[in-house]
Amino acid sequence: MTANPGNPGWYLRRLSRMGPREVGGRVGDTLRRRRWRSARPDAPGVTGARFTAVLPAGALAAVPPDAAKRLVAEADRLMAGQVEYFGVVRDDLADPDWCHDPKTGRRAPDGYAFDVPYRDEDAVGDIKQIWELSRHQYLTVLAAAYAVTGDERYAERVAEHLRSWWASNAPLRSVHWVSGIELGIRLLSWVWIRRLLDGWPGAAALFEDNPAALKQIWHHQRWLAAFPSRGSSANNHVVAEAAGQLAAACAFGWFPDSAGWRQEALRSLDRHLRANTFLSGLNRELATEYHGLVLELGLAAVAEADAAGVPVPATVRLVLLRMTDALAAVVDDTLRPPRQGDADDGHGLVVDGAGTDRWASLLATGDAVFGSLPWWPEVTGTDVRTPLLTALIRPYGKHGAGRAVRRPAGRPAHFADAGLTVLRGPDGIWCRCDGGPHGFLSIAAHAHADALSVEVRHDGVDVLADPGTYCYHGQPGWRRYFRSTLGHNTLELDGTDQSVSGGPFLWTRHARSRVLGVDTSDEGVSRWSAEHDGYGGSVHRRRVELTAASRELRVVDEVRGPRRAVRLAFHLGPAVAADLVGSRAVLTWARDGVERSAVLDLPGELSWRAHRGETDPPLGWYSPGFGRKEPATTLVGTGFTDGAPGFTNRAPGFTTVLAFRDCD
């Protein structure tokens, strides 16, 4: 988690969100770090190690030609030294400096890992830019390109870069030894690199016959065993740590500690997959990209255990099955899931080229492993990862041990435990309504102050958009904006957020939401209502109604409590133009060359203005991916609540109607 360096207040707020057991564990971690500074053990000697976790015969032949073509095109760009991370294009990949941040031009200092102030961008640079390259997922792409082509140029570049990294980042001697999620994902990448290079004559000399590689693999696993994410930080990070540890202990099981590491990693994976996932299958962080990350990590970990013949608890596969069904349920007609909570473009395993649809890939893997259900959306497109993963994973669904598991008979619209509801209409009208918990664990690290927000799409186009995330570190003003209540399609009172932030990954007070009613049984009209208590002394209640025949979405907002200043925001997608006159906005956009339009009738009780690309303060932005933002129109209405003491059946306070016009 990120702090404000040198700010004692942050540390006190962070400490207040920990329980006694977590505090004790962190004290132990601190003492261990001090001890390791002067007492770093040597990795045990290994002789006769052999890599046996190879791909089954026929796995590579199952890779679709178009997916292989995209993979090779991506590999060739990487070979030319070109890559883009988080909106920053770099051309230094032929011979990278592993601690250099191309965004700020800064370089993380050398020294004992736990002394590096990685949270301080002025001292280190943008840490995500530095860490991303060293996840070595671009090397899994190069290794996959070797596997499908046999071109040794790719394998030789992989070997060159691994040797460079191992030489430049001795155990505990750089910023790459600070965060467990980075070590876990890196181990998973190394396992797949070794697997994909198996046909290359130099593979054994690079890994099992290489003392430098053995030392790195052992120290990575020893680190993960010593410093697991704890308590209020046990979110997606701990799943990545367990997945990487399990993968390495299965595929690189060459050390005296391997069996113990393997069993503990499996127990951790089982425990934390269940802890991180609602029974409905949605990830408890309520941040969709982390749902995807955890699902990828879980599938990759199971693949390693199955390949090694290590029994996996049935609960692990059951959670992954539920996660896959939940993903299939919430995506829109173009297979895009909600844009909810934080998103940082993180992946568990990358072996595909640009243009491969992440969510289609996950659903294709889910179909192969678990079996699709009749209500699943059709998955189009191809990928490299699915045939490789599923060649290792034991079938579980219709043809495996899980065939007796009860699964949804129809497409779920409401996930009660997560408070997420999807209303669907004709012509690809899709509306997500948020009435769930603020976030996961006491700090809710990846939550946004977005209670009762809505997100509306038409045929995959963001009409009323969730603006996204944009950044984590180094730009506190932008971080606050993209997490704020004003930064979402919901209602703000007195210029404050519904939940109270204590730092960029810390919330000290969480708004409590509850869904009052959901009715999707009528094919003509779908309804949802919810409320939250995030504004002390006032309650915000919202009702949403989608009428299929008129293709009309009605949003009604009421506030119970004293008279207060209100701002009601509607963020339009970047493709949508708005002509605002008074309280009516005509929206226009194009999809596949076809012009579309809608009319947004806004509450006349408020004064409306359109904002676009403003910076002081930020307003009117959309982040298509981490580190990237672009101007988009935001409509904000200002005024006051009527000070109603309670909710009545009288005319509602604020009514918004979005009516889609005929497609032709």
Side-chain angles (χ1 to χ4, degrees), residues 352-366:
D352 275 284
T356 300
D357 188 310
R358 175 186 197 173
W359 308 105
S361 170
L362 277 170
L363 290 175
T365 302

Side-chain angles (χ1 to χ4, degrees), residues 366-386:
D367 183 16
V369 175
F370 304 118
S372 62
L373 295 172
W375 54 262
W376 272 34
E378 180 183 0
V379 177
T380 58
T382 60
D383 69 308
V384 175
R385 188 177 63 190
T386 290

Side-chain angles (χ1 to χ4, degrees), residues 121-418:
E121 186 168 303
D122 290 336
V124 174
D126 186 328
I127 193 61
K128 278 190 65 65
Q129 287 286 346
I130 295 172
W131 278 345
E132 189 67 19
L133 192 65
S134 288
R135 289 186 172 190
H136 289 169
Q137 292 176 328
Y138 78 98
L139 295 180
T140 56
V141 171
L142 290 175
Y146 164 76
V148 300
T149 66
D151 188 336
E152 294 191 359
R153 294 181 305 118
Y154 302 124
E156 290 164 356
R157 176 63 59 83
V158 171
E160 175 187 342
H161 280 205
L162 283 179
R163 290 192 173 104
S164 168
W165 196 94
W166 291 333
S168 302
N169 295 278
L172 301 176
R173 296 301 302 175
S174 80
V175 74
H176 297 300
W177 290 88
V178 176
S179 174
I181 187 175
E182 304 305 317
L183 276 74
I185 290 177
R186 193 155 53 239
L187 278 177
L188 189 58
S189 295
W190 291 353
V191 168
W192 274 89
I193 289 168
R194 176 60 184 88
R195 174 176 290 127
L196 292 165
L197 293 186
D198 192 61
W200 180 53
L206 179 62
F207 279 93
E208 56 265 33
D209 295 337
N210 182 359
L214 295 173
K215 177 181 178 180
Q216 287 277 349
I217 293 167
W218 184 84
H219 274 283
H220 271 66
Q221 293 182 85
R222 178 176 179 267
W223 193 109
L224 290 173
F227 300 112
S229 292
R230 301 179 185 278
S232 55
S233 293
N235 52 12
N236 63 87
H237 283 229
V238 76
V239 176
E241 294 159 11
Q245 181 80 297
L246 178 60
C250 287
F252 301 147
W254 307 319
F255 307 101
D257 292 315
S258 292
W261 287 336
R262 184 166 55 242
Q263 291 306 312
E264 180 53 37
L266 194 55
R267 284 193 292 267
S268 178
L269 183 72
D270 182 24
R271 180 169 67 254
H272 290 293
L273 272 178
R274 286 184 281 118
N276 274 257
T277 310
F278 289 111
L279 288 178
S280 65
L282 288 178
N283 183 267
R284 285 184 182 270
E285 293 198 76
L286 295 174
T288 309
E289 281 211 4
Y290 287 106
H291 182 106
L293 173 64
V294 169
L295 181 53
E296 288 172 353
L297 290 166
L299 289 168
V302 168
E304 297 306 329
D306 283 355
V310 174
V312 175
T315 45
V316 170
R317 298 182 197 271
L318 181 58
V319 169
L320 298 176
L321 166 63
R322 287 173 174 163
M323 291 184 73
T324 308
D325 278 342
L327 177 62
V330 301
V331 295
D332 65 22
D333 288 359
T334 64
L335 304 185
R336 288 180 64 216
R339 283 168 54 90
Q340 183 179 18
D342 272 347
D344 71 350
D345 297 355
H347 291 260
L349 174 65
V350 180
V351 289
D352 275 284
T356 300
D357 188 310
R358 175 186 197 173
W359 308 105
S361 170
L362 277 170
L363 290 175
T365 302
D367 183 16
V369 175
F370 304 118
S372 62
L373 295 172
W375 54 262
W376 272 34
E378 180 183 0
V379 177
T380 58
T382 60
D383 69 308
V384 175
R385 188 177 63 190
T386 290
L388 301 187
L389 267 181
T390 56
L392 300 173
I393 299 177
R394 177 168 55 85
Y396 179 75
K398 293 180 179 179
H399 309 294
R403 58 185 177 274
V405 173
R406 185 175 180 181
R407 299 170 67 185
R411 190 174 200 173
H414 176 56
F415 295 80
D417 47 10

